[in-house]
Amino acid sequence: MGVINYVVLVILTIYALTMVLLLLWGLFTSLKTRSDFYTNKVLWPKGTPNEWGWSNFSVVWQNFVVTATNTAGQKVKIDFWGQVLNSVIYSGGGAFVAVAGLCVSAYLVSKYDYVFSKIVYVVVIVAMVVPVIGTIPSTLLLFKNIGLYDTYTGNFLAKFSFLGGMYFLVFHASFENISKEFYEAAIIDGASEFQVFFKIMVPLVAPTFYTIFLIKFIELWNDYQTALLYLPTHPTLAYGVYHMSITNINGLSSEPVRLASCVIMAIPIMALFIAFKKKIMGNITMGGVKE
Amino acid sequence: MTIFVLCLVAVTVATVAVVLVARRKRSLASGVVSVKGGNSTQKRNRMIFYVVMFALPVLNFLVFYVYINFQSFALAFQRFDFGQGYVFFGFGNFKQIFSDLKTELWMQSAITNSLGLFFWTLIFGAFLSVLFSYYIFKKHFGSEVFKVILYLPHIISSVVFVIMYKYFLDVAIPSIFKTLWDKEVEGLIANTESTHLWVLVFSIWVSFGTQVLMYTGAMSSISVSVIESASLDGVKPLQELIFIVIPSIWATFVTFMVVCTVGIFTDQMALFSFFGVNAEHKLYTIGYYLYAQAYNGGNVDYPYLSAVGLLLTAIAIPLTLTCRYLLNKFGPKTY
């Protein structure tokens, strides 16, 4: 290791310490009682684990309510479990729709050499390179005019482009690497185009599909701003945590309780990350094709 | 609107059918389904499959990208009238923007802070990301652990990090000062003199993950024999980084620089997570202003926001294309 690597090691160690210490402090603080926190703001909770503030988490389950107003002007209350359900639907459904759409588009562009495929590919590249800013008002107006506002269907259809983005290119590269012999053999055996796609091509890119799905799921689980704008009466857990951090309601104003809600939100996604770390952080590659 | 959508669908299907019928050629690339091979039934089936499967993605693109951009463009030249809805307003919104540039603190701050964020992200974020990636690529001590820790801000929600960070700086830091030095200090975020600095630090602190993943991915495609022969020739790590690794990952680096340039106009600097719609004007960035106003505003505000977006797009497009051109032209070459 040269001098540069020792310097980088020092910087990385400091960075890692700041990250880990902050997360540990957040975890420890979420386990403190209010009285403990007032006198002990920095260190781990006092006393034995039985004396720690485990009730902070039950306060969150019981009082973690978001009140939203729907398009008819009615107040709607969504509790903790409602927000969890919304998060699962938004993240899981959104990730699946987005990735499936990209997979289909990339397959058609890479495998069918119509001129339209080439046009689409050029359009995708241009759309990626050319930035467009400030379209939120236009999108909101369109959503409201065609009845997609505040609906999951609308969000799944509209917010996830099926023709563009980095993951389109990843799928495109994966399909390009699949030999045409798979297709020809299947057609000779009497398979239809649909059967070739769903029973042969999709399983071959399953690892890529799976990895991108995980990445999108995590991204959507943590995203509260899209749900805030386009799904106001379907608040997700991320929005609930944000909402709680800027309001003082129902016993949720103390720092230990707020940090308990952060811990609750982080745990599922950390568990998912630990379980699928290699998939998420590895290089995205396609499934095995051997000739 | 329904008629418009139906017309779009009809135009799309007709266009696809015309192109398919009019032009056919056999592709020389391996693995591509030739549209010329097979009997007429197979060709028809291929075409039906192609049209049916492409219909929704194309419609999605036409409505939610093309139409939205056109509507945004049109909205920029309108204003909202409570009796008539959106009416033509000419360049009125743009005149207001240029007037606000001279008089409104939030707009001046937004531009200054956005450029400042870009500058510091470039200096620290881009530079350190390359160094971190190189360290991880060489699999030095702790590289796997560091890789995971660098990526954590992309796993755990930014809201969670903001809340922990804010409370740590506003609650724990003053407590530490009081305990160790018996000194009363205000929280670093609560103190208006230091809010901007520590919010900026947060933005850079959480920004490394994706860049490091992408750079290490690009570095992994460098030929092992090149690295080994350089090592045999006595090349030092810094020389290896500058003359071999950076040129090899230059395309990826350019991509991130272009994304960073666009970020001047879109990056919120996590202000909405920190303060909601109530950030002080002197903290504004362009990205924060656009989102906060869209969230908090209504029909009256949309034309002005669309005009701001259009103006920024007109600046961003040549800026990013120029940035890309210059980096590709004057960047290192691999031979």
Side-chain angles (χ1 to χ4, degrees), chain B residues 125-158:
Chain B
F127 176 63
L128 285 177
S129 292
V130 171
L131 288 180
F132 293 166
S133 303
Y134 178 67
Y135 184 92
I136 291 167
F137 163 66
K138 299 299 284 184
K139 294 185 172 41
H140 289 311
F141 174 74
S143 56
E144 283 302 311
V145 172
F146 289 135
K147 191 176 176 182
V148 170
I149 289 174
L150 284 164
Y151 200 65
L152 271 180
H154 293 272
I155 301 298
I156 301 173
S157 173
S158 70

Side-chain angles (χ1 to χ4, degrees), chain A residues 130-271:
Chain A
V130 173
V132 180
I133 299 158
T135 56
I136 294 177
S138 178
T139 308
L140 280 170
L141 280 175
L142 178 66
F143 269 49
K144 288 173 183 173
N145 287 340
I146 61 176
L148 291 181
Y149 182 69
D150 204 21
T151 65
Y152 283 118
T153 312
N155 259 267
F156 294 165
L157 283 176
K159 289 305 295 170
F160 307 117
S161 174
F162 301 150
L163 283 182
M166 181 182 71
Y167 299 127
F168 174 90
L169 296 177
V170 171
F171 271 122
H172 187 269
S174 295
F175 283 120
E176 289 268 288
N177 287 332
I178 296 176
S179 171
K180 68 178 177 180
E181 291 168 6
F182 286 98
Y183 174 87
E184 289 173 355
I187 292 295
I188 288 169
D189 287 343
S192 67
E193 299 288 332
F194 287 92
Q195 285 174 319
V196 170
F197 175 65
F198 286 106
K199 291 190 175 179
I200 295 172
M201 296 297 173
V202 170
L204 283 173
V205 296
T208 304
F209 191 103
Y210 189 44
T211 303
I212 297 174
F213 174 83
L214 285 173
I215 294 172
K216 290 295 284 184
F217 182 91
I218 292 171
E219 182 186 308
L220 293 174
W221 181 272
N222 294 329
D223 173 30
Y224 71 95
Q225 292 196 355
T226 304
L228 189 62
L229 268 184
Y230 300 101
L231 289 168
T233 64
H234 301 82
T236 59
L237 205 53
Y239 171 61
V241 171
Y242 161 76
H243 177 77
M244 172 218 62
S245 73
I246 59 169
T247 54
N248 291 305
I249 52 169
N250 295 336
L252 296 175
S253 57
S254 80
E255 288 87 346
V257 169
R258 288 181 174 184
L259 287 166
S261 72
C262 292
V263 170
I264 290 170
M265 194 189 153
I267 284 175
I269 221 65
M270 283 299 296

Side-chain angles (χ1 to χ4, degrees), chain B residues 36-245:
Chain B
K36 203 170 179 181
N39 57 37
S40 60
T41 305
Q42 284 176 343
K43 291 178 201 172
R44 188 196 66 213
N45 290 343
R46 273 198 290 266
M47 192 186 303
I48 291 170
F49 174 79
Y50 187 82
V51 171
V52 166
M53 295 298 275
F54 235 149
L56 186 58
V58 170
L59 180 63
N60 172 286
F61 179 78
L62 287 175
V63 175
F64 299 110
Y65 185 83
V66 176
Y67 175 76
I68 278 180
N69 284 318
F70 273 115
Q71 185 183 44
S72 189
F73 180 89
L75 206 52
F77 297 92
Q78 296 174 339
R79 67 176 175 82
F80 184 73
D81 181 278
F82 285 96
Q84 300 173 39
Y86 288 103
V87 297
F88 184 68
F89 190 41
F91 289 94
N93 290 316
F94 297 96
K95 287 179 189 167
Q96 185 63 46
I97 291 169
F98 287 113
S99 168
D100 288 345
L101 263 172
K102 296 175 199 165
T103 58
E104 296 291 333
L105 170 66
W106 63 262
M107 192 172 264
Q108 295 160 5
S109 300
I111 294 170
T112 312
N113 292 338
S114 295
L115 290 172
L117 176 64
F118 167 73
F119 175 74
W120 292 113
T121 303
L122 201 64
I123 296 294
F124 286 104
F127 176 63
L128 285 177
S129 292
V130 171
L131 288 180
F132 293 166
S133 303
Y134 178 67
Y135 184 92
I136 291 167
F137 163 66
K138 299 299 284 184
K139 294 185 172 41
H140 289 311
F141 174 74
S143 56
E144 283 302 311
V145 172
F146 289 135
K147 191 176 176 182
V148 170
I149 289 174
L150 284 164
Y151 200 65
L152 271 180
H154 293 272
I155 301 298
I156 301 173
S157 173
S158 70
V159 182
V160 169
F161 265 109
V162 163
I163 292 172
M164 288 188 181
Y165 181 85
K166 193 161 69 171
Y167 286 149
F168 187 83
L169 294 192
D170 280 348
V171 173
I173 294 289
S175 178
I176 292 170
F177 269 76
K178 179 72 179 166
T179 305
L180 293 179
W181 297 292
D182 196 25
K183 196 174 173 187
E184 298 281 349
V185 296
E186 199 176 352
L188 298 178
I189 301 287
N191 183 350
T192 55
E193 297 296 316
S194 62
T195 308
H196 181 255
L197 169 65
W198 290 102
V199 170
L200 180 64
V201 165
F202 176 84
S203 292
I204 297 170
W205 185 60
V206 298
S207 69
F208 295 109
T210 306
Q211 287 190 68
V212 167
L213 262 191
M214 289 296 168
Y215 289 146
T216 49
M219 288 177 189
S220 66
S221 65
I222 299 173
S223 169
V224 173
S225 57
V226 170
I227 301 290
E228 283 177 354
S229 65
S231 175
L232 287 170
D233 289 341
V235 164
K236 294 185 174 53
L238 189 59
Q239 291 172 315
E240 183 184 80
L241 173 65
I242 293 172
F243 297 113
I244 297 174
V245 173

Side-chain angles (χ1 to χ4, degrees), chain A residues 28-208:
Chain A
F28 286 150
T29 305
S30 73
L31 291 168
K32 291 177 185 169
T33 60
R34 197 177 268 211
S35 54
D36 183 13
F37 182 70
Y38 280 146
T39 54
N40 169 28
K41 290 182 171 54
V42 179
L43 299 177
W44 46 88
K46 288 179 184 165
T48 61
N50 285 339
E51 296 164 338
W52 291 357
W54 300 101
S55 62
N56 293 334
F57 295 92
S58 57
V59 169
V60 173
W61 313 130
Q62 288 155 20
N63 296 309
F64 203 69
V65 174
V66 171
T67 304
T69 306
N70 62 17
T71 46
Q74 298 161 330
K75 297 277 186 197
V76 179
K77 285 194 176 184
I78 303 95
D79 65 5
F80 174 80
W81 295 109
Q83 292 168 47
V84 170
L85 180 63
N86 288 338
S87 292
V88 171
I89 295 172
Y90 177 68
S91 311
F96 180 77
V97 168
V99 179
L102 288 170
C103 181
V104 167
S105 305
Y107 171 68
L108 295 172
V109 169
S110 69
K111 288 303 193 189
Y112 289 77
D113 65 343
Y114 297 113
V115 171
F116 190 73
S117 296
K118 293 175 175 51
I119 294 172
V120 167
Y121 188 81
V122 169
V123 167
V124 165
I125 298 298
V126 169
M128 278 178 65
V129 171
V130 173
V132 180
I133 299 158
T135 56
I136 294 177
S138 178
T139 308
L140 280 170
L141 280 175
L142 178 66
F143 269 49
K144 288 173 183 173
N145 287 340
I146 61 176
L148 291 181
Y149 182 69
D150 204 21
T151 65
Y152 283 118
T153 312
N155 259 267
F156 294 165
L157 283 176
K159 289 305 295 170
F160 307 117
S161 174
F162 301 150
L163 283 182
M166 181 182 71
Y167 299 127
F168 174 90
L169 296 177
V170 171
F171 271 122
H172 187 269
S174 295
F175 283 120
E176 289 268 288
N177 287 332
I178 296 176
S179 171
K180 68 178 177 180
E181 291 168 6
F182 286 98
Y183 174 87
E184 289 173 355
I187 292 295
I188 288 169
D189 287 343
S192 67
E193 299 288 332
F194 287 92
Q195 285 174 319
V196 170
F197 175 65
F198 286 106
K199 291 190 175 179
I200 295 172
M201 296 297 173
V202 170
L204 283 173
V205 296
T208 304

